[in-house]
Amino acid sequence: MIIERQIAGARPGLAVDLTRTGAEWWRGAVIYQIYPRSFRDLNGDGVGDLAGITAGLDHVASLGVDAIWLSPFFTSPMRDFGYDIADFCDVDPLFGTLADFDRLVARAHALKLKVVIDQVYSHTSDRHPWFAESRSSLRGAKADWYVWADPKPDGSPPNNWQSVFHGPAWTWDARRGQYYLHNFLPEQPDLNLHHPEVQAALLATARFWLDRGVDGFRVDAVNFFMCDPLLRDNPPAPDDGRPKTRPFDFQSHVRNQSHPAIPGFLERLRGVLDAYGDRFTVAEVGGENALAEMKDYTWGGRRLDSAYGFSFLYASELNPGVVREAVSAWAGGAGEGWPSWAFSNHDAPRAPSRFAQSEAELGPVARLASLLLFCLRGNAFLYQGEELGLPQGEVPFERLQDPEAIANWPATLGRDGARTPLPWRAAEPFAGFSTVEPWLPMDRRHPALAIDLQEADPGSMLHFTRRLLAFRRSRPGLLRGELRLLEAPAPVLAFERCGEGERLLCVFNLGRGAVAWTPPAGAWRLAFTTGAAGSLPHALEPLSGYVLTR
Ligand code: BGC
């Protein structure tokens, strides 16, 4: 194999600013994402809660992850299941209280888990008191805290912008006699982050949670923070051959989002975090310019620390091209932030179901995808249930909860199927998630993959994940080394991870047939494999991965 291209961090230190030493806790961290509604229900109402999370942290810590990321648990009418926030600084009664949150953080820290929480600054709930005040008058103190606009002379919305979920991004408000902007649901009015007081209020929110002891933020929908103040129309999207499910897909989103002033706000946010020491920030960035924006939002060590996009979250297959393109484009080179990667989360169909071509492939694909994820350069997000190899849950139309899924059914991104309850104990009703019917149904295949059954089986995905994370932790080259893609004929993917005195060769057969393979010359030995431990193989089994060291 010939070294093709070096794509990351060629000169350590160059991208690191004065407040970052390169040895931060989060560099190379594995962060376990908890979706609170579906993790564990302790108070018996069918919806997960903070006490359930605290009780389940032993399981999370036993995996060997470094941190948890909690999706929103703040006061919310739950129209977008917590991403519509009515009070940024309190806990929704469905999930518990601030005291429950403090207990959760204390338990996590006792288990040596850092706590990262979601921050949603692009919009609030329409029940937030700021919105109530803003809609009440054209001249009040908060009149401009949201994006308001007069109708066109014919009464139609001020421009052609469409919401992500469905339909126009504008809703008429009879109280003000104006339209307000919502890039997501009508119940999620967009905050006007061009307004200095709005920025100050959001930074106060950040301080509130940092003072409570959180270790970092996942910053939601960052490129939606600011729109074009002139409210000019979006142009039509170029025809790239991709299916258009929603009106949103027909536009190029150059005006409703991604305003060049967004990084200035991120620098202010970073200023707040720097006063608290070693805290971590990761941006969620989607859309047509995600890569450029991930770099922009983390640029120069003065903005956010890291960002993740959707290259793996929405990929319909796992092939060498997808991986090569993703890691080449988001390499964390000089000046750029530190990469983060996610294969599954609460918005995307679970990875094994996207990447497997049959039910029989779900298990092998889950192992292969995990090994790949944990060999990449950057932070890895592990979504609850990924450690069990859960396939995407099946949710019949009558049980759908997600407004996006309902509006676009059957051509949906399937968010409900990724949010079904976590199976804890196979033999109990609802697999031990709750004592009553959960808010989303337990998938019929999930109890057989429950935590208790997998605990008892040393060959399970759960034990595989633990071994894999222990392996990753023991290899500084994997945690912080550079990544060099190697030439290899598809369906083989190969790269090296080098650094901290280590050199590791990572080889994957992403195809369905065995591939003859000559192990590299030298004193290489097999350090980790998706198959049975042993000596260096001379053929790569279908859907398999190997890490070699010397
Ligand atoms: C979250 C989604 C949410 C949206 C609007 C996202 O990117 O991950 O779950 O619906 O932001 O807040």
Side-chain angles (χ1 to χ4, degrees), residues 227-462:
C227 65
D228 173 23
L230 301 176
L231 307 182
R232 287 168 286 188
D233 275 353
N234 278 329
D239 191 6
D240 56 5
R242 278 189 285 189
K244 293 181 172 33
T245 308
R246 313 155 292 181
F248 184 80
D249 302 326
F250 288 80
Q251 296 186 351
S252 204
H253 304 104
V254 293
R255 301 289 187 204
N256 67 302
Q257 60 186 85
S258 305
H259 190 274
I262 293 173
F265 171 70
L266 299 179
E267 287 174 14
R268 293 190 69 196
L269 178 60
R270 173 60 181 272
V272 168
L273 279 128
D274 279 347
Y276 289 82
D278 193 5
R279 308 293 163 111
F280 170 64
T281 47
V282 55
E284 181 216 26
V285 187
E288 61 245 35
N289 289 320
L291 267 166
E293 289 173 356
M294 283 152 69
K295 292 176 186 177
D296 195 16
Y297 298 163
T298 58
W299 191 254
R302 296 196 320 273
R303 298 171 182 171
L304 304 185
D305 294 310
S306 183
Y308 74 95
F310 288 76
S311 30
F312 292 113
L313 284 166
Y314 289 161
S316 56
E317 63 176 281
L318 190 58
N319 60 44
V322 168
V323 183
R324 294 174 79 90
E325 196 182 318
V327 301
S328 304
W330 183 217
E336 299 173 6
W338 179 252
S340 284
W341 304 103
F343 281 19
S344 290
N345 74 7
H346 66 293
D347 290 331
R350 286 185 178 274
S353 297
R354 275 182 290 120
F355 299 154
Q357 293 177 357
S358 66
E359 289 279 312
E361 276 186 12
L362 285 169
V365 163
R367 287 173 197 239
L368 172 63
S370 286
L371 179 58
L372 174 60
L373 174 63
F374 296 124
C375 284
L376 295 180
R377 178 174 194 267
N379 290 349
F381 286 106
L382 182 68
Y383 180 49
Q384 65 184 42
E386 207 170 347
E387 77 278 22
L388 307 174
L390 296 187
Q392 174 80 347
E394 278 174 22
V395 183
F397 180 76
E398 322 73 72
R399 291 289 306 267
L400 286 179
Q401 299 279 341
D402 172 26
E404 183 184 35
I406 294 168
N408 300 298
W409 189 89
T412 67
L413 303 174
R415 303 200 304 177
D416 280 334
R419 299 173 179 178
T420 57
L422 193 65
W424 289 86
R425 289 177 295 275
E428 293 185 14
F430 314 110
F433 164 76
S434 174
T435 50
V436 301
E437 178 68 42
W439 74 288
L440 279 172
M442 173 72 61
D443 183 274
R444 67 187 156 77
R445 296 160 299 170
H446 288 186
L449 295 166
I451 293 170
D452 66 342
L453 294 185
Q454 296 210 29
E455 279 293 359
D457 173 7
S460 67
M461 177 73 191
L462 173 59

Side-chain angles (χ1 to χ4, degrees), residues 98-179:
L98 278 170
D100 290 323
F101 179 77
D102 293 340
R103 275 189 283 275
L104 188 162
V105 172
R107 180 69 190 142
H109 286 166
L111 290 165
K112 305 233 171 333
L113 294 170
K114 303 283 187 183
V115 179
V116 173
I117 64 169
D118 237 293
Q119 292 289 276
V120 185
Y121 297 153
S122 125
H123 46 269
T124 67
S125 159
D126 61 344
R127 302 299 170 85
H128 197 294
W130 298 344
F131 188 67
E133 189 176 336
S134 188
R135 83 193 319 186
S136 68
S137 146
L138 284 163
R139 277 168 297 279
K142 294 194 171 49
D144 298 328
W145 278 39
Y146 292 80
V147 183
W148 293 98
D150 290 330
K152 284 184 175 165
D154 64 1
S156 60
N159 63 27
N160 69 351
W161 298 353
Q162 299 295 315
S163 84
V164 174
F165 291 153
H166 60 94
W170 296 97
T171 288
W172 177 253
D173 185 71
R175 280 165 250 197
R176 270 194 52 151
Q178 282 190 311
Y179 281 98

Side-chain angles (χ1 to χ4, degrees), residues 72 74-77 82-89 118-120 123-128 188:
F74 316 106
T75 314
S76 165
Y83 283 93
D84 49 324
I85 300 172
D87 185 346
F88 284 117
C89 299
D118 237 293
Q119 292 289 276
V120 185
H123 46 269
T124 67
S125 159
D126 61 344
R127 302 299 170 85
H128 197 294
Q188 291 170 297

